Amino acid sequence: PDLNLASGLGLVQCIFGFFAGNLTYELYLKLRENSAVQGTAPELLATAIMLLLFWFKPHYTSFNIIGFSAAILLFSYEGGTVAKLLRARPLLFLGKLSYSIYLVHFIVFAVIFAGAKIIEGKIGMTLIASDGVHDRLAFGPGGLMDLMALGYLAAIIICACFTYYFVEEPGRKF
């Protein structure tokens, strides 16, 4: 919501992100022989950076860009225990599907949300709660919503498999 590409600093932030990526790559090349940036400790630092960014959600996009660039740099050498854990087959499979997941996740959510609105209208039970600003799915207690979230994730992965194998891969080969 803070990145308005049509006005304000959105374009500046995009350009900053682009150059931060290039700088990260240049640092990667310069530091690849330096053992201080390789191994488990730097990967744990990168993990901490990502968790802090996720937890505190800095208001300024530049903090996110710099933090994410640092995490990418520290993980780029893939020499530590965290990188080894991230190379587990299920995670590699999800990584392969990541672009398709990105493309379909909102469509799946929109279908679920629209379905909930239709069902809500037919049965007269509240399935969508509103705080006056945002609408959210509210099917019941936390456990039920957790099951709904797992179903949502499964639907995303199934749809992403379809788009990966029948759209993304053929498109890449074309």
Side-chain angles (χ1 to χ4, degrees):
D2 297 329
L3 185 60
N4 185 343
L5 297 179
S7 65
L9 295 176
L11 182 60
V12 173
Q13 292 170 348
C14 287
I15 292 169
F16 179 64
F18 174 79
F19 285 106
N22 284 287
L23 178 61
T24 300
Y25 180 68
E26 290 298 322
L27 285 171
Y28 164 79
L29 293 175
K30 290 193 183 320
L31 297 174
R32 64 181 161 193
E33 303 301 322
N34 187 336
S35 62
V37 295
Q38 299 178 28
T40 301
E43 290 175 359
L44 290 173
L45 176 62
T47 302
I49 290 169
M50 295 309 296
L51 289 172
L52 289 171
L53 288 173
F54 178 77
W55 186 264
F56 291 107
K57 295 176 180 52
H59 180 70
Y60 296 104
T61 304
S62 55
F63 288 129
N64 293 319
I65 292 170
I66 292 168
F68 195 64
S69 296
I72 287 172
L73 176 67
L74 295 174
F75 268 115
S76 65
Y77 302 103
E78 299 185 272
T81 304
V82 180
K84 184 183 277 187
L85 292 171
L86 292 174
R87 283 193 296 270
R89 288 189 91 160
L91 295 179
L92 290 174
F93 178 70
L94 289 175
K96 182 168 75 168
L97 296 180
S98 64
Y99 186 62
S100 286
I101 289 170
Y102 166 72
L103 291 176
V104 303
H105 82 279
F106 187 75
I107 296 167
V108 172
F109 181 78
V111 168
I112 292 170
F113 202 83
K117 278 189 174 189
I118 292 168
I119 293 168
E120 183 179 62
K122 291 194 183 287
I123 66 173
M125 185 175 151
T126 302
L127 299 176
I128 300 171
S130 179
D131 61 8
V133 179
H134 300 99
D135 292 339
R136 68 182 192 291
L137 295 173
F139 289 0
L144 184 58
M145 290 304 295
D146 290 344
L147 285 175
M148 179 65 194
L150 289 175
Y152 172 58
L153 289 173
I156 290 170
I157 292 168
I158 290 166
C159 290
C161 285
F162 178 81
T163 58
Y164 179 81
Y165 290 110
F166 295 106
V167 178
E168 190 177 339
E169 271 298 295
R172 191 180 348 265
K173 288 176 183 170
F174 176 72

